[in-house]
Amino acid sequence: MTTRLTTRLTTSLSKRTGVRRGVRTVGGVLAAGALTLTIGACGAKNSNDQVEGGGGSSVTDQFADCTPGDGSADVSQMETDGNKSLTLAAFNGWDESFAASHLLKYVLEKEGYSVDIQELDAGPGYTGLSQGDIDVAVDTWLPVTHESYLKQFGDKIEAQGCWYDNAKLTLAVNDDSPAKSISDLKDMGDDYGKRLVGIEPSAGLTEQTKKAIPIYGLDDWNFQISSTPAMLAELKKATNAGDDIAVTLWRPHWAYDAFPVRDLEDPEGAMGDAENIFNFSRTGFDDDNPYVAQLLHNLVINDDNLASLENIMFSDDHYGGKNKDKAVAEWAEAHPDFITDWKAGTLGGK
C-alpha cells in the first residue's frame, strides 16, 4: 500500500463518521491527532480513541468476555498459505498495536511471507480493513472503546480471536510503597506528598481519574495533570531515588517492565472495568490465509511479555520507538519459548 491509500482512507473516514479529536502517546512521545475516548457506562478507558457513540449493544455484547487463545491449535502440521503477501494496520498512538503487529510480522517473515505494516489512525485502519485493503488489525478494544467501529464495519470484518484481556486504567505506585489500594491513599497522603501525577488533560484516563478522586476522598490531593513523558520522567526519577510516588497509568504499558511499579486495587471500581483486545481481519481471510488465521487465534500475550516487549521497543533506554523490527527480533531471540508455544497453540495456558 502507498501514501495514496492512507490519504484515501483518511478522506473516507472524515466523510463517513464524526470524531472527537484528542491525544495519545507512542513510547512516551506525544502524538497529536489520535481520536479521543468517549467514556461510556460500561467503564472508561485510557487515552485511546473511539468514534462518537457508545453504550451496550448487541453488536459488541458477544465481545464483552473472551478467553485469550481460545480455538488454539498446533500449526506444525499445517501448510503455510499460498498467499504470502499481507498488509497489517498498526494504530497510531497505541504501543501494543505496534508490538503485536511487528511480532506477527517477525514470525511470518521467518515463514517466507512479505508483511507490510501500515501506520494509521484507528478509523482509517477499520475503513481499510472493511474495504479489503488491509488484511489484519490486531488491536480492537472491546466491548467499549472500539464499539462504534464494530457498529459501522462489523458486517464487513471478521474476528480472529482475542489475545489480551486486561486492558484497563489504573492508579499505580512504586512497588515498595505502603499503599495497596486506592482507598489507602486517603490516610497515607504524607507518604506520597498528597500528589498524584497524571498525563495529558484531554486523555480519557485523566477524566476518569477526576471522577475517582472524590469517590476515594482524595479531594485535598494535588492531581498534577501534565503529559505522558512528564509522568514517566517523574516515575523514573522517584523509583531511582527510592521515593514514593503515585501516578495514573494504564495496561498494557511498558512502564510495568521498565520500573518497579504496581497497580493499586480499586475496590470501588472507580477506574472502570478491564477490556479485551481482539484481532480482526477482512472478510474471506480464513479461506485465503488459514495458516495465519490459526496463528492469530493462537496468539496470547500476557502482561509480563507485553510489558517487556514494549519496553524494548519504546522506552528511551532501548530503541525509543525506532527500529521496531530490530527491537522485536531482539525480544524474540531472548524469548524463543514464546514463539515455539505460539505455533504449538499452548500460549493460552501460560
Side-chain angles (χ1 to χ4, degrees):
M1 294 201 349
T2 65
T3 302
R4 182 163 52 186
L5 172 59
T6 303
T7 302
R8 176 166 65 82
L9 296 180
T10 303
T11 301
S12 175
L13 176 69
S14 65
K15 290 179 179 179
R16 296 172 65 178
T17 182
V19 298
R20 300 198 312 187
R21 308 303 292 179
V23 293
R24 180 81 159 114
T25 59
V26 182
V29 179
L30 189 63
L35 313 179
T36 194
L37 164 75
T38 298
I39 300 176
C42 294
K45 301 304 157 191
N46 60 20
S47 48
N48 301 334
D49 55 19
Q50 182 187 26
V51 185
E52 290 285 1
S57 76
S58 59
V59 175
T60 53
D61 283 348
Q62 60 185 309
F63 301 112
D65 296 307
C66 80
T67 300
D70 192 28
S72 292
D74 191 344
V75 300
S76 63
Q77 302 303 313
M78 293 182 64
E79 294 184 4
T80 57
D81 305 316
N83 172 32
K84 287 188 168 62
S85 180
L86 300 177
T87 300
L88 312 181
F91 298 156
N92 290 325
W94 302 57
D95 290 352
E96 74 283 347
S97 186
F98 286 86
S101 295
H102 281 269
L103 187 58
L104 179 60
K105 178 183 178 182
Y106 172 85
V107 170
L108 291 179
E109 288 188 339
K110 295 289 186 181
E111 301 281 2
Y113 289 77
S114 174
V115 180
D116 175 33
I117 296 178
Q118 288 290 304
E119 301 182 5
L120 301 166
D121 285 347
Y126 284 109
T127 301
L129 201 64
S130 69
Q131 295 176 348
D133 296 315
I134 291 169
D135 295 295
V136 174
V138 298
D139 201 28
T140 295
W141 286 48
L142 293 171
V144 177
T145 302
H146 287 160
E147 176 186 12
S148 291
Y149 292 120
L150 264 290
K151 287 181 178 179
Q152 183 175 1
F153 300 116
D155 60 343
K156 299 178 181 177
I157 60 179
E158 298 176 348
Q160 299 291 348
C162 74
W163 57 269
Y164 184 77
D165 61 359
N166 197 36
K168 63 182 181 179
L169 303 179
T170 70
L171 298 186
V173 295
N174 52 298
D175 191 55
D176 58 352
S177 64
K180 304 302 180 184
S181 165
I182 302 175
S183 59
D184 293 334
L185 295 178
K186 182 178 180 180
D187 297 325
M188 296 181 178
D190 291 343
D191 292 287
Y192 301 92
K194 287 191 174 182
R195 186 176 69 117
L196 177 62
V197 183
I199 59 170
E200 290 76 17
S202 62
L205 172 55
T206 300
E207 292 303 311
Q208 193 64 18
T209 302
K210 289 179 180 178
K211 295 181 179 182
I213 284 173
I215 293 175
Y216 284 104
L218 304 177
D219 303 85
D220 60 340
W221 278 51
N222 173 24
F223 181 26
Q224 182 180 314
I225 299 172
S226 54
S227 68
T228 301
M231 179 275 290
L232 292 171
E234 293 244 20
L235 182 59
K236 181 177 182 179
K237 179 181 177 182
T239 53
N240 283 345
D243 297 332
D244 292 330
I245 188 171
V247 302
T248 64
L249 200 55
W250 64 92
R251 289 182 181 270
H253 197 284
W254 54 263
Y256 291 99
D257 186 72
F259 311 116
V261 62
R262 58 177 168 80
D263 295 335
L264 292 174
E265 296 175 5
D266 180 15
E268 299 297 330
M271 299 302 290
D273 297 327
E275 284 197 87
N276 309 307
I277 302 181
F278 284 81
N279 305 303
F280 270 82
S281 71
R282 59 173 173 78
T283 56
F285 187 76
D286 282 313
D287 293 331
D288 296 337
N289 291 92
Y291 181 86
V292 179
Q294 187 59 61
L295 277 179
L296 291 173
H297 282 278
N298 288 3
L299 181 61
V300 180
I301 313 181
N302 63 27
D303 278 306
D304 289 342
N305 282 330
L306 189 53
S308 65
L309 175 57
E310 289 187 0
N311 187 16
I312 289 176
M313 292 181 72
F314 296 109
S315 73
D316 290 338
D317 290 338
H318 294 281
Y319 285 88
K322 301 177 181 178
N323 299 316
K324 297 182 183 69
D325 288 332
K326 187 176 180 181
V328 168
E330 180 178 315
W331 185 88
E333 288 165 8
H335 296 79
D337 290 345
F338 179 90
I339 306 300
T340 300
D341 291 340
W342 184 2
K343 291 182 177 182
T346 59
L347 286 174
K350 301 290 182 176

